[in-house]
Amino acid sequence: MKGAGDAAAKMERKTVEKNRRMHMKSLCMKLASLIPKEYATDSKDMLSQVDHLDQATSYIKDLRGRIERMKQRGDIRTSTEGTNKDVDREMTTEFRLPVVEVRHQDPNLEVVLISGLEKRFKFHEVLGVLEEEGAEVVNANFSVVGDMIFHTIHSQAVSSRLGLEASRVSERLKELIR
């Protein structure tokens, strides 16, 4: 009788470990999808999780360096009073709203849309463009920061054989929201 209990506990540990590995793999894939193309290697070979983590580390170190340089130039205020106003001013002078950014890493496609409160678009039309281009929406969320709305849409190619053409998706979305 004791042997059956040990076997069940062993199977449960295996299942927990398998779920943990699957969860870590999905987190690594999500991290890899966030790395801009400039930091990705030009190799056509499949990259290992360690390679993706190295790229993410390089990207984060570069971002930290850019932030430090901006602080040294005085572009970012470090005091708590007025920080949001300074950052908002920096953001609005850096780019014009609305912003469309499409990141593609087979078979995933991430779309980031930033719009102002006064310039809105129909979200279902954005999803329609993605579906027409062969993408299946996996996750979509938004957040409002100050007078800007940030939309993030994660999708995958419906057919890995056909894939997705990120430049076409980007152009169609720019036409739609402008």
Side-chain angles (χ1 to χ4, degrees), residues 55-72:
Q55 288 177 351
T57 302
S58 171
Y59 178 55
I60 291 168
K61 285 179 181 176
D62 187 49
L63 287 176
R64 282 186 180 158
R66 288 171 49 193
I67 290 170
E68 287 303 316
R69 286 190 299 276
M70 288 177 73
K71 282 181 181 177
Q72 288 172 356

Side-chain angles (χ1 to χ4, degrees), residues 6-19:
D6 289 342
K10 188 174 183 179
M11 288 301 290
E12 184 178 332
R13 282 195 305 272
K14 284 184 179 181
T15 303
V16 168
E17 178 62 18
K18 181 180 177 184
N19 290 340

Side-chain angles (χ1 to χ4, degrees), residues 162-175:
L162 297 177
L164 294 167
E165 192 175 331
S167 60
R168 180 169 160 80
V169 171
S170 179
E171 289 304 315
R172 287 195 60 197
L173 290 175
K174 286 177 183 175
E175 288 174 17

Side-chain angles (χ1 to χ4, degrees), residues 9-49:
K10 188 174 183 179
M11 288 301 290
E12 184 178 332
R13 282 195 305 272
K14 284 184 179 181
T15 303
V16 168
E17 178 62 18
K18 181 180 177 184
N19 290 340
R20 184 196 66 79
R21 284 193 312 267
M22 288 175 28
H23 181 67
M24 289 301 294
K25 184 177 181 180
S26 81
L27 290 175
C28 285
M29 286 175 42
K30 185 173 182 179
L31 176 64
S33 74
L34 297 174
I35 301 169
K37 290 180 184 176
E38 303 89 62
Y39 293 87
T41 58
D42 292 334
S43 172
K44 299 294 181 193
D45 299 331
M46 290 293 292
L47 297 177
S48 68
Q49 287 183 355

